[in-house]
Amino acid sequence: AVGDVRGRGLLLGMELVDPEGEPDSLGHYPADGDLASAVQSAAFDRGLVVETGGRHGSVVRFLPPLTISPSQIDDVGEIVHESVRSVVANDRKRAEAPA
């Protein structure tokens, strides 16, 4: 579901895509703003504030202070990992559930 990670210094963006969608002519999957919003909510529930933006609102943006410590960066990474994993797992469960 992570299509791209880009940025400069501490300002990073993680673009979320729909891996089940139809790739474009360059092989890129479509941007998924709903997934990014769900990850934003899941991260907030875990105590991390992130922003969304970019094309179709599909980029989760990390804007930490310059005074962030290495252990805090590790904590952010863990929260983001847990958030993406839980949202993607829940989306798959919903898709597989009988209607």
Side-chain angles (χ1 to χ4, degrees):
V2 177
D4 189 24
V5 176
R6 55 187 173 267
R8 190 172 296 243
L10 290 176
L11 177 60
L12 297 173
M14 176 178 65
E15 183 176 22
L16 298 176
V17 298
D18 178 7
E20 304 296 320
E22 185 69 30
D24 64 15
S25 62
L26 298 174
H28 301 125
Y29 290 104
D32 193 339
D34 293 336
L35 182 61
S37 292
V39 168
Q40 179 186 32
S41 294
F44 185 80
D45 292 344
R46 290 170 171 80
L48 177 66
V49 177
V50 294
E51 305 233 350
T52 58
R55 186 172 57 111
H56 306 291
S58 64
V59 177
V60 176
R61 296 177 176 169
F62 306 97
L63 308 153
L66 293 175
T67 57
I68 193 168
S69 70
S71 66
Q72 289 171 320
I73 292 172
D74 291 343
D75 292 342
V76 167
E78 187 63 32
I79 290 170
V80 170
H81 180 256
E82 291 172 4
S83 299
V84 171
R85 184 175 49 194
S86 71
V87 168
V88 169
N90 286 336
D91 280 353
R92 286 191 182 134
K93 286 179 188 173
R94 264 192 298 261
E96 293 170 357

